[in-house]
Amino acid sequence: MGIREVFHFELLGAFSCGSTEEEKTKNSELINGMGKKVRSFLQYLIVNHTRSVSSEELIDQFWADNSRNPANALRNMLFKARQLLREMFPEGEDMLLTLQDCYSWNPAIRLSLDVEEFEELCVRAREEAEEERCSLLRQAVALYGGEFLAGNDAEWARTQRQYYQTLYLDSCKAVLPLLHKKGQFVEVISICSHAYAVDFSMEDFTAYQMEAHIALGQPGQAMEKYRAFKERMQKEFGMQPPERIEQLYTLADGLRKKGMDDEDILRLVCEEEPDGQAFFCTFSTFQSIVALEKRHIRRSGEAASLVIISLESERAPTTDSRRMEHILMEKLRTGDPIARLEAGSYIFMLTGACVEDARIVAGRIDSAFHRTYRHSKARLTFQVTDLKPYSRAEESSL
């Protein structure tokens, strides 16, 4: 028997059915006019439309403990469900068939469910190359209109709700680095906002949102996202944000301050007005911060420099290394990232500083070191690199 008609049901978010907005509105009124149990019963049959459902299974699901005559209750429920279907789809008579001790949808019709399309997109994406995977994941994420059968608190619905929610969150986590790589920062922010509302505790959504705001030249908005995340983490779990989030906040704060004061890069080394301490981090973290700054440079055209400072000493390097760390932390501004390359060798980034400015800073650091540790035999060497040409080279390779 051929398929006569396709009936579409949406189960992600508000339960609805129909091909047009007019049909969905009419059917929603009919559905809401029925009892909660009738609605859940029909939803169960829709979710399991690809197989026959036995009377025993339905009784176990809906009348396991609270009915003296479950068989009669099942017959009454089927009558109400069929009546509702006839009112919603007058052309689809005999949609639910009674077989031998089980019930099935009429094979002459086909049910199309958004959850099945959503799941198929997620599964297909795992097998595709990067470009196609990104496209499929974007479709899947856009299709997720909300939690599965919102408002249905039956155990069977809660179990599937958790499954689809996990699938959605995993899809968001998978597509975000792909969109970030493409520079689709507005879409990254949108996806993160929706995913954050589902599960704020997954740090990826706050981190990618902060990175996107920073890349768009919006450090203040990145800082607001940080504050909201920190407040919720403390309130819900009594925890501080993880290191990754703290590092992005430090970067955003540094970029915001730089934008507020054009003379900041020179003032930060003045002994009379120290501006806090710099940010000491691992080299991998430093690389991530530099990568974000290069994106910012491509948009703003502003300057930034990398400085490598090395110690040459006849004494054991550990003593002068600790001294150098102290000077760097004290003399650079809050948010300037520093990483250790090897014993006695460090690299730091100066946002807003051209090569000439960076050399001035390096000279001030050298003077501060020898003024503070007059008996040290260490000799400091500096290598200054303009970061802007590297950001242009990266842009031309995209």
Side-chain angles (χ1 to χ4, degrees):
M1 183 182 297
I3 301 296
R4 293 201 302 265
E5 193 161 0
V6 178
F7 297 97
H8 183 70
F9 290 87
E10 295 180 0
L11 284 70
L12 293 171
F15 175 59
S16 66
C17 48
S19 301
T20 66
E21 290 302 319
E22 183 179 357
E23 286 181 355
K24 290 178 182 180
T25 300
K26 181 203 74 172
N27 291 334
S28 293
E29 291 175 355
L30 292 170
I31 292 168
N32 293 332
M34 302 298 290
K36 186 176 181 180
K37 194 165 188 176
V38 177
R39 185 163 59 249
S40 180
F41 182 84
L42 178 59
Q43 289 170 345
Y44 187 84
L45 292 174
I46 291 170
V47 169
N48 295 283
H49 72 97
T50 58
R51 64 184 180 88
S52 297
V53 182
S54 69
S55 301
E56 181 180 5
E57 178 181 341
L58 291 170
I59 289 172
D60 285 344
Q61 285 288 348
F62 294 94
W63 298 279
D65 302 316
N66 58 356
S67 178
R68 294 183 179 179
N69 190 345
N72 187 57
L74 173 58
R75 284 193 294 272
N76 289 334
M77 186 64 74
L78 281 164
F79 174 79
K80 293 178 181 179
R82 284 176 169 135
Q83 183 182 35
L84 177 58
L85 287 170
R86 280 195 294 270
E87 291 178 1
M88 290 194 296
F89 307 109
E91 71 281 13
E93 295 184 9
D94 299 324
M95 295 179 71
L96 279 175
L97 303 180
T98 301
L99 306 178
Q100 186 174 359
D101 200 33
C102 65
Y103 305 92
S104 176
W105 290 88
N106 191 327
I109 65 173
R110 183 170 71 86
L111 271 60
S112 168
L113 311 186
D114 60 348
V115 288
E116 293 176 341
E117 182 183 355
F118 170 72
E119 184 177 28
E120 181 184 2
L121 288 167
C122 295
V123 173
R124 283 174 54 200
R126 298 170 187 166
E127 303 172 353
E128 298 294 339
E130 183 175 302
E131 191 66 29
E132 180 63 16
R133 181 166 73 253
C134 183
S135 175
L136 293 171
L137 288 171
R138 290 167 92 171
Q139 294 176 58
V141 168
L143 191 60
Y144 190 85
E147 62 180 22
F148 174 79
L149 292 179
N152 188 332
D153 58 359
E155 178 62 29
W156 70 268
R158 291 198 300 269
T159 300
Q160 295 211 35
R161 182 174 302 136
Q162 183 61 48
Y163 166 72
Y164 289 115
Q165 184 182 99
T166 301
L167 201 57
Y168 166 70
L169 294 173
D170 287 346
S171 297
C172 290
K173 288 176 64 177
V175 78
L176 286 171
L178 302 177
L179 293 173
H180 189 279
K181 184 177 179 181
K182 290 174 171 288
Q184 301 293 330
F185 299 118
V186 174
E187 187 173 355
V188 167
I189 291 171
S190 176
I191 290 175
C192 287
S193 296
H194 288 93
Y196 181 90
V198 175
D199 187 351
F200 82 92
S201 64
M202 296 182 71
E203 66 178 79
D204 282 10
F205 304 137
T206 296
Y208 273 109
Q209 196 166 19
M210 290 178 68
E211 288 178 350
H213 279 302
I214 291 171
L216 290 171
Q218 303 166 345
Q221 293 186 43
M223 294 171 71
E224 285 301 315
K225 297 301 177 184
Y226 164 85
R227 294 188 186 103
F229 177 73
K230 180 179 181 179
E231 183 178 347
R232 291 195 66 180
M233 288 293 288
Q234 290 176 333
K235 181 179 179 180
E236 299 292 336
F237 306 114
M239 296 172 57
Q240 295 294 323
E243 181 184 2
R244 179 186 180 190
I245 305 297
E246 294 285 3
Q247 292 165 353
L248 287 169
Y249 174 79
T250 301
L251 175 60
D253 188 36
L255 291 172
R256 182 185 62 83
K257 289 179 178 178
K258 173 182 65 63
M260 292 171 60
D261 189 349
D262 292 337
E263 302 300 321
D264 188 48
I265 193 64
L266 298 177
R267 191 176 67 250
L268 64 89
V269 296
C270 295
E271 294 183 36
E272 294 77 14
E273 294 182 338
D275 190 17
Q277 289 192 327
F279 175 63
F280 199 91
C281 59
T282 64
F283 185 70
S284 60
T285 298
F286 183 87
Q287 287 179 302
S288 298
I289 293 174
V290 171
L292 284 172
E293 178 62 15
K294 286 193 291 186
R295 290 182 179 274
H296 176 71
I297 290 172
R298 289 203 300 273
R299 293 184 57 84
S300 67
E302 296 178 357
S305 297
L306 296 177
V307 181
I308 297 176
I309 179 172
S310 301
L311 287 163
E312 296 181 7
S313 175
E314 298 176 3
R315 304 178 59 185
T318 53
T319 301
D320 285 324
S321 291
R322 287 196 297 269
R323 291 170 174 173
M324 176 54 62
E325 287 184 17
H326 174 75
I327 293 295
L328 290 172
M329 295 292 287
E330 187 178 84
K331 298 305 177 184
L332 296 178
R333 66 180 168 184
T334 301
D336 280 337
I338 310 169
R340 184 184 294 110
L341 296 176
E342 57 185 6
S345 182
Y346 304 84
I347 185 170
F348 56 90
M349 181 174 69
L350 298 173
T351 56
C354 64
V355 170
E356 182 180 351
D357 291 335
R359 287 183 178 139
I360 293 173
V361 172
R364 296 290 183 89
I365 290 172
D366 184 77
S367 297
F369 180 89
H370 289 102
R371 185 168 57 250
T372 304
Y373 307 107
R374 296 182 179 181
H375 301 292
S376 173
K377 298 181 180 180
R379 187 170 71 90
L380 278 59
T381 61
F382 298 90
Q383 179 181 342
V384 180
T385 302
D386 186 356
L387 192 58
K388 188 180 293 186
Y390 291 91
S391 68
R392 292 183 186 136
E394 184 176 286
E395 183 178 25
S396 64
S397 65
L398 295 178

